[in-house]
Amino acid sequence: MQIDVAINQLKGLTSFFENYREHGYVSAIVSAKEIASEMGIEPKFQEKGVIRRKPIFGENNNEERILSHEDSFRIDYFIYIVDQAISSIKIRFQQFELYESIFGFLFSFEKLKLLDDDSLKNSCMHLEKSLKHEMFSDIDGLDLFSELKVLKEVLQIKINTPLDILNYIKKTGSFPNAFIAYRILLTIPVTVASAERNFSKLKLIKSFLRSTMSQEKLNGLAMLSIEKDFLGNLHFEDLINNFASKKARRIIFN
């Protein structure tokens, strides 16, 4: 999957969850009741007691609002879960927004064609700055600007995706700066496997013999296992001495 396709899908997924948060509760309840009826379960909320909501800012503290169990479920569970999903998507893929600000003008031939000379030049100089380390840069912004101006005129409309443009540049043997820029764009990783690695570690850590460990210990062991490269650079003697100095209860008399 190309990064521009992933960004568009993530934007659509975020928009879906935001709309589902506002208008999806009723349909979710209807579906849940149908499933409960098919399973022979009475489709209603169990009443365990009176639920009182704390007053929000601007309300009279003497007025308590009593919530029904369905309203409490919508506020404390449904909205909370959807908000967590939206927040996780935005945090997990926020780096894509940075990539879009740097490489966005190269995502398609249509975007490249719509840019005027000033906007295209600014985008090329920004890309040069982003790909620069100390005094060295992978591309020259002014040369890239000149190459893309020519590409805008010689490319055909059917050549639209970054991969198609890269293949065209490779066949011509020209446009060296554009060739490097598109190669970097197409090698940016779209997906990550950190969550899968974390769960695979948990299977090794929490075995049958360690089934009663606390959550705090499990989190610590998982972190040590995941960050083993960083852990290998630590000096255990310094850690042990530091720990012993803080936990020692003996008083040393001179």
Side-chain angles (χ1 to χ4, degrees):
M1 180 183 291
Q2 297 177 6
I3 190 170
D4 58 324
V5 178
I7 290 174
N8 291 331
Q9 291 193 3
L10 286 172
K11 289 180 178 178
L13 183 60
T14 304
S15 177
F16 166 78
F17 274 114
E18 290 174 348
N19 183 69
Y20 187 71
R21 182 187 187 278
E22 300 297 329
H23 309 288
Y25 178 72
V26 176
S27 60
I29 288 296
V30 172
S31 300
K33 289 182 177 180
E34 292 177 354
I35 295 174
S37 299
E38 293 176 359
M39 297 177 63
I41 302 174
E42 187 177 1
K44 72 174 185 178
F45 289 91
Q46 296 182 357
E47 299 182 1
K48 296 182 179 180
V50 177
I51 301 174
R52 301 181 183 273
R53 183 182 65 82
K54 294 181 180 180
I56 61 176
F57 180 77
E59 291 184 343
N60 189 349
N61 293 332
N62 295 326
E63 296 179 357
E64 287 186 336
R65 181 181 173 185
I66 300 176
L67 297 177
S68 65
H69 291 273
E70 185 171 347
D71 289 337
S72 177
F73 177 82
R74 181 180 63 84
I75 295 172
D76 298 333
Y77 183 80
F78 178 79
I79 294 180
Y80 176 80
I81 293 296
V82 178
D83 285 343
Q84 287 292 321
I86 296 173
S87 176
S88 298
I89 292 174
K90 290 182 178 180
I91 293 174
R92 189 176 179 87
F93 298 98
Q94 62 183 353
Q95 195 172 15
F96 280 178
E97 298 178 358
L98 175 62
Y99 291 150
E100 187 176 21
S101 66
I102 298 174
F103 295 95
F105 69 105
L106 299 176
F107 280 175
S108 67
F109 176 66
E110 295 177 354
K111 290 185 177 181
L112 191 62
K113 196 78 172 177
L114 293 175
L115 291 177
D116 54 31
D117 289 349
D118 291 337
S119 299
L120 180 59
K121 184 177 180 180
N122 292 333
S123 299
C124 292
M125 298 306 296
H126 180 56
L127 179 59
E128 177 190 359
K129 184 179 179 181
S130 301
L131 299 178
K132 190 173 184 179
H133 178 68
E134 295 180 352
M135 299 300 296
F136 303 97
S137 180
D138 293 325
I139 62 170
D140 184 278
L142 294 177
D143 290 345
L144 177 63
F145 169 65
S146 301
E147 293 174 10
L148 293 179
K149 284 185 63 177
V150 177
L151 273 174
K152 288 170 62 175
E153 303 299 328
V154 300
L155 283 177
Q156 301 177 1
I157 299 178
K158 63 180 181 180
I159 300 178
N160 187 44
T161 66
L163 184 59
D164 293 336
I165 298 175
L166 180 64
N167 290 330
Y168 175 83
I169 295 173
K170 188 176 181 179
K171 290 179 181 179
T172 61
S174 305
F175 313 106
N177 288 273
F179 184 58
I180 295 174
Y182 277 103
R183 281 167 54 195
I184 295 174
L185 169 62
L186 290 170
T187 53
I188 295 175
V190 176
T191 59
V192 295
S194 59
E196 289 77 4
R197 290 197 300 268
N198 294 349
F199 279 104
S200 64
K201 290 293 184 181
L202 288 178
K203 293 180 181 179
L204 301 176
I205 296 170
K206 193 168 185 179
S207 61
F208 175 75
L209 298 177
R210 297 173 178 167
S211 60
T212 58
M213 74 170 64
S214 64
Q215 185 66 41
E216 182 179 0
K217 184 178 180 181
L218 177 62
N219 293 340
L221 291 174
M223 184 62 67
L224 292 175
S225 180
I226 295 168
E227 303 294 343
K228 63 178 181 180
D229 295 334
F230 176 78
L231 184 65
N233 297 325
L234 297 179
H235 299 286
F236 293 102
E237 293 183 358
D238 296 338
L239 292 175
I240 294 172
N241 293 333
N242 187 26
F243 177 80
S245 63
K246 292 182 178 181
K247 298 296 182 180
R249 297 182 180 179
R250 293 179 298 173
I251 300 176
I252 301 176
F253 295 95
N254 294 326

